[in-house]
């Protein structure tokens, strides 16, 4: 549903990891999702997705920001997330969990944000359960260029400080995340000319456990910022280097829709082809996606904001 499914899942896991995983997990600032993130175009008001895992409904405001996400696993089990904004800034996020038709206070949580722009931007986030317990407080600090440079996390277990460092060398930029002075993750971005004569953007992300290399991922984007390939690596202690465990390549049509995915895992190669049907609107959103050879179907029902009538001046 995003530029490709792999990118969408990667981003969702990153957001969930910020709040639900242990304190030594890599964290990042809260993200705002828009129509573009779900491969939607035009004045979309809502989008109902029916897939093999269940049903998912997305609602957007007129600015194209996601305001509600409902994931339904069956008739009685579903999750709802609400987003509230002020001047394009995320101010409130609520995750409500329903099981067997009942609202679950124990697992439902709310996030409240405050923005301070007196000097360099600061964002504070308070995470509260629906039972009234404060689960954690985050403070995000930015430098004068608007880059995130520090995350301070506090809860009943204590205080953790994540520092984000930026460096440049010979056209490459590196962002390094350190939790209490121990490296968590590094993201290096570089550019390389491809066979077509244009430049690809290469993003190499390395993850560490207690400062020791653990795994890595290389993402390559084309001139239009579409993800064209992903390589996943595990760290080999014997070789003292990263070893490729999976490689995926993506092909798109002229409008940017994913057409083919080829995954190589060890000696096996798996290919997926994507076929679309469209809604006939000027925006050209797809309403049915078929993935072969397994013939997996995903359908979307899309509603649009109607053009508002402008009354002539009297």
């Amino acid at each position: 549903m995003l530029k490709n499914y792999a990118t969408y899942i990667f981003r969702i896991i990153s957001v969930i990891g910020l709040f639900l995983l242990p304190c030594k997990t890599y964290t990042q600032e809260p993200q705002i999702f828009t129509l573009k993130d779900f491969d939607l175009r035009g004045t979309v008001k809502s989008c109902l997705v029916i897939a093999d895992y269940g049903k998912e409904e997305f609602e957007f405001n007129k600015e194209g920001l996601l305001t509600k996400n409902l994931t339904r696993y069956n008739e009685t089990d579903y999750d709802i997330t609400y987003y509230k904004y002020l001047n394009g800034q995320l101010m409130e996020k609520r995750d409500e969990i329903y099981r067997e038709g009942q609202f679950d206070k124990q697992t439902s949580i709310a996030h409240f944000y405050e923005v301070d722009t007196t000097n360099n931007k600061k964002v504070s986030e308070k995470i509260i359960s629906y039972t009234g317990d404060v689960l954690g407080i985050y403070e995000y600090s930015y430098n004068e260029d608007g880059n995130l440079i520090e995350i301070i996390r506090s809860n009943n277990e204590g205080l953790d400080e994540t520092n984000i460092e930026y460096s440049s060398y010979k056209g490459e930029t590196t962002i390094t995340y350190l939790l209490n002075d121990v490296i968590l993750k590094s993201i290096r971005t570089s550019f390389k000319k491809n066979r077509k004569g244009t430049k690809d953007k290469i993003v190499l992300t390395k993850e560490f456990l207690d400062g020791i290399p653990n795994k890595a991922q290389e993402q390559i984007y084309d001139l239009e910022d579409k993800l064209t390939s992903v390589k996943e690596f595990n760290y080999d202690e014997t070789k003292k280097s990263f070893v490729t465990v999976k490689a995926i390549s993506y092909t798109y049509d002229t409008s940017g829709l994913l057409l083919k995915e080829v995954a190589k895992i060890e000696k096996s190669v798996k290919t997926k082809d994507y076929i679309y049907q469209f809604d006939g609107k000027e925006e050209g959103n797809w309403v049915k996606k078929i993935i072969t050879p397994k013939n997996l179907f995903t359908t979307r029902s899309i509603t649009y904001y109607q053009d508002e009538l402008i009354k002539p001046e009297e």
Side-chain angles (χ1 to χ4, degrees):
M1 291 180 60
L2 200 77
K3 292 178 182 178
N4 62 70
Y5 187 68
T7 304
Y8 174 64
I9 291 299
F10 179 79
R11 292 173 66 173
I12 291 296
I13 289 174
S14 297
V15 175
I16 294 174
L18 175 61
F19 309 120
L20 300 184
L21 298 182
C23 63
K24 290 192 176 181
T25 301
Y26 159 72
T27 61
Q28 66 178 40
E29 61 188 316
Q31 293 183 327
I32 293 177
F33 294 99
T34 68
L35 291 170
K36 185 179 179 181
D37 293 317
F38 301 93
D39 194 21
L40 291 166
R41 307 167 186 178
T43 58
V44 173
K45 183 177 183 179
S46 66
C47 177
L48 173 63
V49 181
I50 302 175
D52 55 344
Y53 60 83
K55 297 180 180 180
E56 199 157 13
E57 184 175 348
F58 304 93
E59 295 182 6
F60 303 87
N61 61 19
K62 290 187 177 181
E63 287 70 44
L65 302 178
L66 180 65
T67 59
K68 179 182 176 182
N69 174 204
L70 187 154
T71 303
R72 186 178 294 277
Y73 309 103
N74 53 53
E75 288 301 316
T76 60
D77 296 341
Y78 53 95
D79 304 336
I80 307 177
T81 301
Y82 297 95
Y83 302 85
K84 291 186 179 180
Y85 308 90
L86 179 62
N87 299 325
Q89 173 70 45
L90 181 63
M91 302 304 294
E92 184 178 320
K93 176 175 176 279
R94 293 180 177 268
D95 299 308
E96 298 185 353
I97 312 301
Y98 295 81
R99 293 296 179 264
E100 297 182 357
Q102 300 296 316
F103 176 61
D104 188 348
K105 279 188 176 183
Q106 300 298 322
T107 57
S108 298
I109 55 178
H111 312 255
F112 299 98
Y113 305 91
E114 292 184 2
V115 182
D116 181 1
T117 56
T118 305
N119 295 307
N120 291 338
K121 179 181 175 183
K122 275 191 173 184
V123 177
S124 62
E125 174 187 15
K126 182 179 288 187
I127 306 172
I128 303 176
S129 72
Y130 273 68
T131 58
D133 298 321
V134 177
L135 303 178
I137 297 175
Y138 287 81
E139 291 186 359
Y140 307 89
S141 299
Y142 300 78
N143 62 16
E144 58 186 8
D145 296 321
N147 296 321
L148 180 66
I149 58 173
E150 183 184 63
I151 304 172
I152 296 177
R153 175 187 186 271
S154 59
N155 61 13
N156 56 9
E157 296 180 357
L159 186 73
D160 286 305
E161 181 177 342
T162 301
N163 293 293
I164 300 95
E165 299 177 352
Y166 299 80
S167 62
S168 298
Y169 180 72
K170 292 186 177 181
E172 297 181 351
T173 60
T174 301
I175 305 173
T176 305
Y177 291 77
L178 301 110
L179 174 62
N180 301 328
D181 297 324
V182 178
I183 187 169
L184 279 178
K185 176 174 286 204
S186 68
I187 304 173
R188 187 186 70 193
T189 302
S190 59
F191 295 87
K192 184 178 181 180
K193 186 175 289 187
N194 56 33
R195 296 177 181 177
K196 298 178 182 179
T198 59
K199 285 188 176 181
D200 288 332
K201 181 174 72 174
I202 304 170
V203 180
L204 177 62
T205 303
K206 295 180 180 180
E207 297 184 12
F208 301 79
L209 285 177
D210 297 324
I212 301 173
N214 180 39
K215 57 184 178 180
Q217 182 184 73
E218 180 191 73
Q219 298 170 298
I220 299 180
Y221 298 84
D222 65 11
L223 190 63
E224 298 177 350
D225 205 33
K226 294 193 297 292
L227 183 64
T228 58
S229 70
V230 174
K231 285 185 179 179
E232 296 180 5
F233 308 87
N234 286 338
Y235 190 76
D236 189 314
E237 280 288 347
T238 303
K239 297 180 179 180
K240 298 298 180 183
S241 63
F242 286 100
V243 178
T244 305
V245 293
K246 187 176 183 179
I248 308 174
S249 63
Y250 304 97
T251 303
Y252 302 84
D253 66 11
T254 55
S255 67
L257 286 175
L258 181 63
L259 287 182
K260 183 184 288 290
E261 174 184 329
V262 180
K264 298 180 181 179
I265 305 173
E266 296 181 348
K267 295 182 180 180
S268 66
V269 178
K270 295 183 179 180
T271 300
K272 296 179 183 178
D273 290 294
Y274 294 77
I275 303 169
Y276 302 91
Q277 294 179 6
F278 297 87
D279 59 8
K281 301 288 185 179
E282 183 178 351
E283 293 83 357
N285 284 306
W286 63 266
V287 291
K288 180 178 285 188
K289 177 172 66 178
I290 306 170
I291 305 176
T292 63
K294 292 187 177 181
N295 289 327
L296 299 176
F297 287 81
T298 299
T299 61
R300 304 197 300 187
S301 177
I302 301 171
T303 60
Y304 296 85
Y305 284 103
Q306 298 297 319
D307 292 336
E308 295 183 1
L309 296 177
I310 302 175
K311 294 182 180 180
E313 295 183 3
E314 295 181 356

